[in-house]
Amino acid sequence: MTHAARIAIVGGGIAGAALARAFAALGAEPEVFADGGPAASRSPAALVAPRLDAGLGPAAALFADAVVRAGGLYAGVTDAVIARGAVHLAVGPKDERRFAAIAASDLFAPGALRLLDRAETSALVGEAAPPGLVIAPALVIDPAPVLAAWLRDNRRAAVAAVTREAGAWRLSDADGALVAQADIVCIAAGPASAGLAPGHSLGPVRGQASFAAGPAPPITVLYGGYVAPAPGGTLFGATHDRDDTALEPREADHARNLAALSAVLPNQAARLATVPLAAHVGVRATTADYLPIAGARTPTW
């Protein structure tokens, strides 16, 4: 009789939580290790929207399938969904043509995407706006109930190294002490993943989103940045600074977020500029091509 595989997940953000949920759905009992530090996904609201790829190839199909699958999973968590649907504004010279190609494809279910002229977009967002694309599967979610539902149990432990020894994975802390042993290890530790799984060219990207208490926008709007309803107000941003890992809020970044919003929706930006802004700062882990990394890794690290 073979023993059940020991599964370790390093990281307690939305990626680690999603892995824990998936393993549990397969009947496994993964162990999640999180150090309790700030995760990029622990924000008051999170946008779930597809990357729009007019190449219409396998990557484009992956993004389309992923947003539909994610939407179904989030909808199954009580109180997770804050808002449904988004409008992507055509702010670049190629956006209208790109939106038209994607909307005419079979990547999404019929009716999931809809092209808008200026008048239709303006009516939806509440002020004069360029043409756009409605993305019906997009969501705004509250990450807190998702993390609570999918991370039922986790160990408050910082994993500093993952090594292969005697046919098993060894998870150790900063002093080299053993934290756990596992047959399968999934690393979902944000920017710290680069040190735990060298050779994958992961890079940190700092992002600061701004939150304003008060009325929420009528619909989520994407424009390179985003403005979205959040519990008790509006979340908008976010900055995108490579190789920056600082977590302290910056007033200059609030100004950048307001300037980006003002370029497309000046009325909303003017209203938000009159109220105090709170910051959510996170550091993302990104790949050079922005595509996911998945599959078995030869144990050479």
Side-chain angles (χ1 to χ4, degrees):
M1 180 176 178
T2 59
H3 73 280
R6 299 167 297 176
I7 302 165
I9 299 169
V10 183
I14 197 69
L19 284 163
R21 185 217 62 81
F23 276 116
L26 294 172
E29 297 182 1
E31 194 168 15
V32 179
F33 299 88
D35 62 7
S41 52
R42 295 182 186 273
S43 60
L47 178 64
V48 183
R51 179 180 175 186
L52 298 176
D53 184 346
L56 309 182
L62 171 65
F63 301 141
D65 290 345
V67 74
V68 173
R69 173 62 171 160
L73 292 174
Y74 292 136
V77 178
T78 303
D79 298 327
V81 177
I82 296 171
R84 296 179 179 274
V87 176
H88 201 313
L89 301 182
V91 295
K94 299 180 180 179
D95 280 349
E96 287 189 73
R97 186 165 62 251
R98 181 166 63 99
F99 292 171
I102 296 168
S105 75
D106 61 357
L107 290 175
F108 293 86
L113 304 181
R114 180 167 60 91
L115 296 170
L116 303 174
D117 60 23
R118 289 180 181 273
E120 292 171 318
T121 302
S122 300
L124 275 178
V125 304
E127 64 178 284
L133 178 72
V134 169
I135 308 173
L139 299 174
V140 179
I141 67 163
D142 181 349
V146 176
L147 295 174
W150 294 352
L151 286 177
R152 294 186 179 90
D153 299 299
N154 65 81
R155 283 179 57 184
R156 184 66 65 87
V159 175
V162 178
T163 54
R164 188 77 173 172
E165 293 184 8
W169 292 105
R170 185 182 193 275
L171 284 65
S172 55
D173 64 18
D175 296 323
L178 180 67
V179 174
Q181 288 184 312
D183 303 301
I184 298 171
V185 177
C186 298
I187 298 173
S193 300
L196 295 172
H200 284 305
S201 300
L202 294 173
V205 178
R206 179 187 184 276
Q208 178 172 317
S210 303
F211 173 80
I219 191 169
T220 301
V221 181
L222 312 176
Y223 48 88
Y226 62 86
V227 57
T234 300
L235 189 72
F236 65 102
T239 59
H240 193 92
D241 297 317
R242 286 187 173 276
D243 299 320
D244 188 342
T245 58
L247 294 174
E248 297 78 15
R250 299 168 182 165
E251 287 301 319
D253 285 357
H254 285 319
R256 290 167 62 191
N257 289 338
L258 283 168
L261 179 59
S262 182
V264 290
L265 298 175
N267 292 350
Q268 285 203 43
R271 178 181 66 83
L272 295 172
T274 65
V275 299
L277 297 177
H280 171 74
V281 181
V283 180
R284 319 168 184 96
T286 63
T287 57
D289 58 6
Y290 295 102
L291 293 173
I293 297 171
R297 168 69 172 170
T298 302
T300 57
W301 9 291

